[in-house]
């Protein structure tokens, strides 16, 4: 298992993406959310990370309109 970056999002959107991934049965992690909050979401975006084996499915979930 290796974590890969699915994408970078503002803090709130990262948690929405994570929730959608969880609903699809894909485990994910958010990195840099606290830095995003501390320094402003425009300077440092939160990274949503998934297992490399789930990346294709995670991209499909993230690409679907909410």
């Amino acid at each position: 298992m290796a974590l890969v970056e699915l994408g970078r999002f503002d803090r709130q959107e990262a948690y929405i993406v994570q929730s959608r991934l969880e609903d699809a049965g894909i485990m994910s992690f958010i990195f840099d959310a606290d830095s995003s909050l501390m320094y402003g979401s425009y300077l440092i975006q939160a990274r949503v990370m998934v297992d490399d084996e789930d990346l294709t499915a995670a991209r499909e979930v993230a690409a679907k309109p909410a």
Side-chain angles (χ1 to χ4, degrees):
M1 174 178 149
L3 290 178
V4 294
E5 184 177 299
L6 172 64
R8 294 175 186 239
F9 307 91
D10 67 47
R11 187 174 192 273
Q12 292 80 13
E13 187 177 7
Y15 283 107
I16 292 169
V17 170
Q18 184 181 44
S19 176
R20 293 175 62 206
L21 291 170
E22 185 177 300
D23 288 345
I26 301 171
M27 183 181 290
S28 63
F29 302 91
I30 297 178
F31 292 173
D32 303 326
D34 292 334
S35 297
S36 172
L37 183 63
M38 180 184 245
Y39 296 110
S41 61
Y42 295 108
L43 298 176
I44 300 174
Q45 292 187 314
R47 295 180 290 154
V48 177
M49 308 293 286
V50 297
D51 186 282
D52 58 351
E53 295 175 3
D54 294 329
L55 183 58
T56 301
R59 284 181 176 158
E60 291 175 8
V61 170
K64 290 181 184 177

